[in-house]
Structures are given as structure tokens and as C-alpha cells.
Amino acid sequence: MRIRTITVIGAGLLLVAGSAGIAGCSGQDEKRARTAGENAALGKRAQQKRAPAPPPPRKIDCDRVKCVSLTFDDGPGPHTARLLDTLKAGGARATFFMLGENVQAHPDVVRRIAMEGHEVANHTWSHPDLTTQSPAEVRSQIQRTQQAVKNASGVAPTLMRPPYGATNTQVGRAVGMPLILWSVDTLDWQHKSVSRDTRIGVKEPEGGGIVLFHDIHKPSVDAIPKVVDGLKKRGFTLVTVSELFQGKPLQPGQTYNERIQKTEPVTASPSPQGTAGGATQPSPPR
């Protein structure tokens, strides 16, 4: 009887010891898992901190330098990546007024636009005539696009172009950003002609001008290599819209179609500061 009692007691002690060991292992495993999770979170935050950022606007005085801004509407689309290749090869920067629904479909292209120093800008979500929309509908078109562009590129647009160039006081108030129109309308959407787009794009721009193209049309993108080369031969520096208006604060709700210069650009001595141009109603793009 004594031997059986000892055996039972011994078995019980082994069971307790085993349970304690399992509990100890479980606690160590939980601690290791928690530490691994914390390390992973720290690594992710460090990676986010190291994520590349878009280059800042260049310091260019467009009262002293002969500047022109190429702008592209309605993208991004299937030809935008090739357009970016052209602009990179030519050392040119441009501004992209993008539709939110296309941003959502091409987020990688939008990120590339920003990372290569071009300007991301708002052209509404689905291209309505904003003068036919209620203020709430206008705000929805703008805010949805703002969020889509920021999600794709990490950059929130600061400029907006109303579809068809259609705007009024109510639209400007609802948009709450400077409204950028254009001084040269290539009508590329209508003619879809490489030779015509090239001729208009090279010959018509003047200093401080804003040129309207559409990167959703293949002929437009096909014309840009010669447009860039031709404008550079004319002495132009190709800049973003924000670079064009550096030193001239743009007001929310106001329209701008060029940077007007009081004097011809010079290369040696400073010239008087010009004033931002007001907008005229251009022919509507499609």
C-alpha cells in the first residue's frame, strides 16, 4: 500500500512539473511573438521613413527665364508612361490635370509622375461641366480626386483645372483652389494630328504661356518629342505650372491662363516682376 501511494504521489509531481514547463514555454513563445511583432512594426515605420519623396520644384525665375508650361488633361491613360519617357529624356517637367477615375485605374503611373518631378493636379473625378453641378456635387468631384491622387502618389494637388474651362464664382468657391486654364489650346482632342499638334505646340507658345494637350490621345503623345525639342530650340525652359508662377501666389477660386511678363526675359540682370494673368474663356477641350 505504501509503495502504491508513493507511486501515485510521484506521478502527480511529474504531471505538475510538466504542466509548469508547458506554461513556461507558452509564455516564452508569446513573448517572442510579441517581440517579433514589435520589431516588424519598427521595421515598417523605418521603411516608410526611408520611402523616396518627389523632388521639390526647381528654383526658376520665369521673369528672367523664358518659361512655358506643358499641361496634359484627362489622364493618366495607356500612353502616359511613354510620355513620361519623352519628358525625362528632354529634361522637361509638366503638369498633369488628372481625372480621379483614371487615377484609380493607373496608380503606379500617377506615382511615377510625382516621383519624376512633374506636378499632379486635379481635373475632377469624371469630367462634368461644373457650372451645371451643385456646390456639394462640385466638392465631391474635387475631394474624391484629391484623395485618389494622394493615395497613389503621396502628394495632394494644389491646383485644379475645370473641365471645358467652364467655371464661375460659385464653382471657384466650391473648388477652393486656384483654377488653371491655358493660353494655347492645341485642340488635339479634335484633330488628332501629330503634325498639327507639333506645329501648334512649337510655334504658338509665348513666354509665360500654358499649353493644353491631352495624354489620353496617341497622336498628342507622339507629337511631344518634337514639341519639346522645338520649344527648347526657341529658348524655352519647360516648367510645371507651380514653377511657372513661383513668387506669385495664386488665389483659391481665381482663374489663371498665363504668367504675364512686363518685360522680355533677360539672362544677366533682373527684370521687373510681372503680374499673374487673368483668364479668358478658351475653347472647350473634350
Side-chain angles (χ1 to χ4, degrees):
M1 180 66 70
R2 184 177 298 173
I3 294 172
R4 181 180 299 174
T5 301
I6 292 171
T7 301
V8 171
I9 292 172
L13 290 173
L14 288 172
L15 180 62
V16 170
S19 298
I22 292 171
C25 290
S26 176
Q28 291 173 358
D29 290 343
E30 182 180 351
K31 183 177 180 181
R32 282 195 294 268
R34 185 168 61 250
T35 301
E38 291 171 352
N39 290 339
L42 288 172
K44 185 176 181 181
R45 285 196 293 271
Q47 185 177 10
Q48 290 173 342
K49 289 181 180 179
R50 291 193 299 269
R58 299 164 296 182
K59 300 297 183 182
I60 299 174
D61 183 350
C62 290
D63 278 334
R64 300 184 63 190
V65 176
K66 191 176 177 182
C67 298
V68 67
S69 183
L70 297 181
T71 65
F72 298 92
D73 282 13
D74 295 355
H79 310 294
T80 305
R82 182 163 57 88
L83 170 61
L84 292 173
D85 293 339
T86 297
L87 295 173
K88 186 174 182 179
R93 291 193 185 183
T95 300
F96 290 79
F97 290 93
M98 296 180 285
L99 296 179
E101 59 187 9
N102 288 343
V103 168
Q104 194 172 52
H106 302 279
D108 292 342
V109 175
V110 177
R111 178 161 178 77
R112 182 183 169 190
I113 289 171
M115 296 306 297
E116 294 187 359
H118 306 292
E119 185 163 20
V120 294
N122 194 314
H123 196 42
T124 73
W125 182 265
S126 58
H127 209 277
D129 180 341
L130 295 181
T131 62
T132 68
Q133 307 281 296
S134 70
E137 290 171 328
V138 173
R139 286 191 292 271
S140 175
Q141 285 279 332
I142 299 305
Q143 291 167 4
R144 291 176 68 193
T145 304
Q146 288 289 103
Q147 192 60 54
V149 173
K150 187 173 182 180
N151 288 347
S153 68
V155 179
T158 60
L159 303 177
M160 186 268 172
R161 172 171 284 165
Y164 313 105
T167 186
N168 55 31
T169 301
Q170 177 176 280
V171 168
R173 187 179 300 116
V175 169
M177 290 188 285
L179 308 178
I180 307 301
L181 301 182
W182 52 87
S183 59
V184 176
D185 185 355
T186 62
L187 295 177
D188 59 334
W189 58 270
Q190 181 177 0
H191 297 278
K192 295 185 175 65
S193 165
V194 175
S195 60
R196 186 183 186 282
D197 291 345
T198 301
R199 183 177 71 255
I200 299 298
V202 172
K203 294 185 177 299
E204 290 200 6
E206 300 295 338
I210 299 173
V211 186
L212 170 61
F213 283 101
H214 295 76
D215 52 315
I216 59 172
H217 300 307
K218 183 178 182 297
S220 303
V221 173
D222 289 345
I224 297 304
K226 289 185 178 179
V227 170
V228 169
D229 288 345
L231 290 173
K232 289 169 68 176
K233 287 178 181 177
R234 290 186 60 198
F236 283 106
T237 297
L238 278 66
V239 299
T240 68
V241 171
S242 287
E243 289 175 335
L244 182 69
F245 285 101
Q246 253 179 16
K248 298 180 180 295
L250 303 182
Q251 301 303 315
Q254 297 299 308
T255 55
Y256 302 87
N257 62 358
E258 63 183 330
R259 175 175 178 140
I260 296 177
Q261 300 172 318
K262 289 184 177 179
T263 62
E264 288 297 316
V266 295
T267 56
S269 59
S271 61
Q273 295 295 310
T275 57
T280 56
Q281 186 70 17
S283 55
R286 302 300 181 198

